PDB file of all heavy atoms in Angstrom:
ATOM      1  N   ALA A 409     -13.159  -0.400  18.682  1.00  0.00           N
ATOM      2  CA  ALA A 409     -13.601  -1.684  19.233  1.00  0.00           C
ATOM      3  C   ALA A 409     -14.645  -1.533  20.329  1.00  0.00           C
ATOM      4  O   ALA A 409     -15.594  -2.328  20.405  1.00  0.00           O
ATOM      5  CB  ALA A 409     -12.388  -2.452  19.767  1.00  0.00           C
ATOM      6  N   PHE A 410     -14.502  -0.507  21.182  1.00  0.00           N
ATOM      7  CA  PHE A 410     -15.381  -0.394  22.348  1.00  0.00           C
ATOM      8  C   PHE A 410     -16.451   0.690  22.202  1.00  0.00           C
ATOM      9  O   PHE A 410     -17.497   0.608  22.835  1.00  0.00           O
ATOM     10  CB  PHE A 410     -14.540  -0.119  23.601  1.00  0.00           C
ATOM     11  CG  PHE A 410     -13.546  -1.191  23.892  1.00  0.00           C
ATOM     12  CD1 PHE A 410     -12.194  -0.993  23.682  1.00  0.00           C
ATOM     13  CD2 PHE A 410     -13.953  -2.429  24.362  1.00  0.00           C
ATOM     14  CE1 PHE A 410     -11.265  -1.991  23.933  1.00  0.00           C
ATOM     15  CE2 PHE A 410     -13.025  -3.440  24.618  1.00  0.00           C
ATOM     16  CZ  PHE A 410     -11.683  -3.219  24.410  1.00  0.00           C
ATOM     17  N   CYS A 411     -16.172   1.699  21.378  1.00  0.00           N
ATOM     18  CA  CYS A 411     -17.134   2.796  21.215  1.00  0.00           C
ATOM     19  C   CYS A 411     -17.743   2.855  19.818  1.00  0.00           C
ATOM     20  O   CYS A 411     -18.589   3.703  19.550  1.00  0.00           O
ATOM     21  CB  CYS A 411     -16.472   4.146  21.539  1.00  0.00           C
ATOM     22  SG  CYS A 411     -15.728   4.231  23.180  1.00  0.00           S
ATOM     23  N   ARG A 412     -17.275   1.961  18.929  1.00  0.00           N
ATOM     24  CA  ARG A 412     -17.757   1.938  17.536  1.00  0.00           C
ATOM     25  C   ARG A 412     -17.639   3.321  16.891  1.00  0.00           C
ATOM     26  O   ARG A 412     -18.560   3.845  16.284  1.00  0.00           O
ATOM     27  CB  ARG A 412     -19.190   1.420  17.462  1.00  0.00           C
ATOM     28  CG  ARG A 412     -19.348  -0.009  17.954  1.00  0.00           C
ATOM     29  CD  ARG A 412     -20.708  -0.568  17.618  1.00  0.00           C
ATOM     30  NE  ARG A 412     -21.770   0.072  18.332  1.00  0.00           N
ATOM     31  CZ  ARG A 412     -22.189  -0.292  19.536  1.00  0.00           C
ATOM     32  NH1 ARG A 412     -21.626  -1.326  20.139  1.00  0.00           N
ATOM     33  NH2 ARG A 412     -23.158   0.336  20.133  1.00  0.00           N
ATOM     34  N   TYR A 413     -16.446   3.903  17.033  1.00  0.00           N
ATOM     35  CA  TYR A 413     -16.187   5.242  16.505  1.00  0.00           C
ATOM     36  C   TYR A 413     -14.898   5.212  15.710  1.00  0.00           C
ATOM     37  O   TYR A 413     -13.855   4.788  16.218  1.00  0.00           O
ATOM     38  CB  TYR A 413     -16.077   6.248  17.654  1.00  0.00           C
ATOM     39  CG  TYR A 413     -15.936   7.686  17.208  1.00  0.00           C
ATOM     40  CD1 TYR A 413     -17.024   8.397  16.716  1.00  0.00           C
ATOM     41  CD2 TYR A 413     -14.707   8.328  17.276  1.00  0.00           C
ATOM     42  CE1 TYR A 413     -16.898   9.716  16.311  1.00  0.00           C
ATOM     43  CE2 TYR A 413     -14.564   9.647  16.871  1.00  0.00           C
ATOM     44  CZ  TYR A 413     -15.664  10.331  16.395  1.00  0.00           C
ATOM     45  OH  TYR A 413     -15.530  11.642  15.988  1.00  0.00           O
ATOM     46  N   GLU A 414     -14.981   5.614  14.440  1.00  0.00           N
ATOM     47  CA  GLU A 414     -13.801   5.652  13.580  1.00  0.00           C
ATOM     48  C   GLU A 414     -13.235   7.067  13.555  1.00  0.00           C
ATOM     49  O   GLU A 414     -13.813   7.958  12.933  1.00  0.00           O
ATOM     50  CB  GLU A 414     -14.162   5.209  12.153  1.00  0.00           C
ATOM     51  CG  GLU A 414     -14.474   3.733  12.025  1.00  0.00           C
ATOM     52  CD  GLU A 414     -14.682   3.323  10.582  1.00  0.00           C
ATOM     53  OE1 GLU A 414     -14.619   4.201   9.699  1.00  0.00           O
ATOM     54  OE2 GLU A 414     -14.909   2.126  10.330  1.00  0.00           O
ATOM     55  N   ILE A 415     -12.136   7.263  14.240  1.00  0.00           N
ATOM     56  CA  ILE A 415     -11.457   8.557  14.226  1.00  0.00           C
ATOM     57  C   ILE A 415     -10.388   8.510  13.130  1.00  0.00           C
ATOM     58  O   ILE A 415      -9.764   7.466  12.907  1.00  0.00           O
ATOM     59  CB  ILE A 415     -10.835   8.849  15.605  1.00  0.00           C
ATOM     60  CG1 ILE A 415     -10.368  10.300  15.682  1.00  0.00           C
ATOM     61  CG2 ILE A 415      -9.708   7.894  15.931  1.00  0.00           C
ATOM     62  CD1 ILE A 415      -9.960  10.712  17.075  1.00  0.00           C
ATOM     63  N   THR A 416     -10.219   9.604  12.417  1.00  0.00           N
ATOM     64  CA  THR A 416      -9.260   9.605  11.316  1.00  0.00           C
ATOM     65  C   THR A 416      -7.872   9.222  11.820  1.00  0.00           C
ATOM     66  O   THR A 416      -7.426   9.699  12.870  1.00  0.00           O
ATOM     67  CB  THR A 416      -9.226  10.976  10.617  1.00  0.00           C
ATOM     68  OG1 THR A 416      -8.310  10.921   9.528  1.00  0.00           O
ATOM     69  CG2 THR A 416      -8.802  12.084  11.560  1.00  0.00           C
ATOM     70  N   VAL A 417      -7.202   8.356  11.094  1.00  0.00           N
ATOM     71  CA  VAL A 417      -5.926   7.811  11.547  1.00  0.00           C
ATOM     72  C   VAL A 417      -4.777   8.193  10.618  1.00  0.00           C
ATOM     73  O   VAL A 417      -3.722   8.654  11.055  1.00  0.00           O
ATOM     74  CB  VAL A 417      -6.014   6.269  11.679  1.00  0.00           C
ATOM     75  CG1 VAL A 417      -4.653   5.685  12.037  1.00  0.00           C
ATOM     76  CG2 VAL A 417      -7.043   5.884  12.717  1.00  0.00           C
ATOM     77  N   ALA A 418      -4.979   8.007   9.321  1.00  0.00           N
ATOM     78  CA  ALA A 418      -3.864   8.147   8.376  1.00  0.00           C
ATOM     79  C   ALA A 418      -3.252   9.546   8.391  1.00  0.00           C
ATOM     80  O   ALA A 418      -2.025   9.700   8.425  1.00  0.00           O
ATOM     81  CB  ALA A 418      -4.336   7.789   6.963  1.00  0.00           C
ATOM     82  N   LEU A 419      -4.084  10.594   8.376  1.00  0.00           N
ATOM     83  CA  LEU A 419      -3.545  11.953   8.278  1.00  0.00           C
ATOM     84  C   LEU A 419      -2.744  12.359   9.520  1.00  0.00           C
ATOM     85  O   LEU A 419      -1.617  12.860   9.374  1.00  0.00           O
ATOM     86  CB  LEU A 419      -4.682  12.950   8.023  1.00  0.00           C
ATOM     87  CG  LEU A 419      -5.359  12.853   6.649  1.00  0.00           C
ATOM     88  CD1 LEU A 419      -6.420  13.931   6.497  1.00  0.00           C
ATOM     89  CD2 LEU A 419      -4.336  12.963   5.530  1.00  0.00           C
ATOM     90  N   PRO A 420      -3.267  12.190  10.743  1.00  0.00           N
ATOM     91  CA  PRO A 420      -2.445  12.539  11.915  1.00  0.00           C
ATOM     92  C   PRO A 420      -1.152  11.734  11.988  1.00  0.00           C
ATOM     93  O   PRO A 420      -0.103  12.265  12.365  1.00  0.00           O
ATOM     94  CB  PRO A 420      -3.365  12.217  13.103  1.00  0.00           C
ATOM     95  CG  PRO A 420      -4.747  12.348  12.547  1.00  0.00           C
ATOM     96  CD  PRO A 420      -4.652  11.852  11.142  1.00  0.00           C
ATOM     97  N   LEU A 421      -1.205  10.452  11.616  1.00  0.00           N
ATOM     98  CA  LEU A 421       0.007   9.640  11.660  1.00  0.00           C
ATOM     99  C   LEU A 421       1.044  10.127  10.664  1.00  0.00           C
ATOM    100  O   LEU A 421       2.249   9.979  10.884  1.00  0.00           O
ATOM    101  CB  LEU A 421      -0.329   8.174  11.373  1.00  0.00           C
ATOM    102  CG  LEU A 421      -1.112   7.413  12.453  1.00  0.00           C
ATOM    103  CD1 LEU A 421      -1.284   5.959  12.054  1.00  0.00           C
ATOM    104  CD2 LEU A 421      -0.439   7.512  13.812  1.00  0.00           C
ATOM    105  N   LEU A 422       0.603  10.713   9.553  1.00  0.00           N
ATOM    106  CA  LEU A 422       1.532  11.228   8.557  1.00  0.00           C
ATOM    107  C   LEU A 422       2.048  12.617   8.919  1.00  0.00           C
ATOM    108  O   LEU A 422       3.218  12.925   8.713  1.00  0.00           O
ATOM    109  CB  LEU A 422       0.845  11.279   7.189  1.00  0.00           C
ATOM    110  CG  LEU A 422       0.633   9.938   6.485  1.00  0.00           C
ATOM    111  CD1 LEU A 422      -0.223  10.129   5.247  1.00  0.00           C
ATOM    112  CD2 LEU A 422       1.956   9.308   6.107  1.00  0.00           C
ATOM    113  N   VAL A 423       1.160  13.466   9.452  1.00  0.00           N
ATOM    114  CA  VAL A 423       1.547  14.861   9.680  1.00  0.00           C
ATOM    115  C   VAL A 423       2.583  14.977  10.801  1.00  0.00           C
ATOM    116  O   VAL A 423       3.411  15.891  10.791  1.00  0.00           O
ATOM    117  CB  VAL A 423       0.305  15.726   9.991  1.00  0.00           C
ATOM    118  CG1 VAL A 423      -0.196  15.516  11.402  1.00  0.00           C
ATOM    119  CG2 VAL A 423       0.609  17.201   9.766  1.00  0.00           C
TER     120      VAL A 423
END
Side-chain angles (χ1 to χ4, degrees):
F410 300 107
C411 304
R412 298 191 293 273
Y413 185 75
E414 289 186 358
I415 191 171
T416 182
V417 175
L419 291 183
L421 290 184
L422 286 172
V423 76

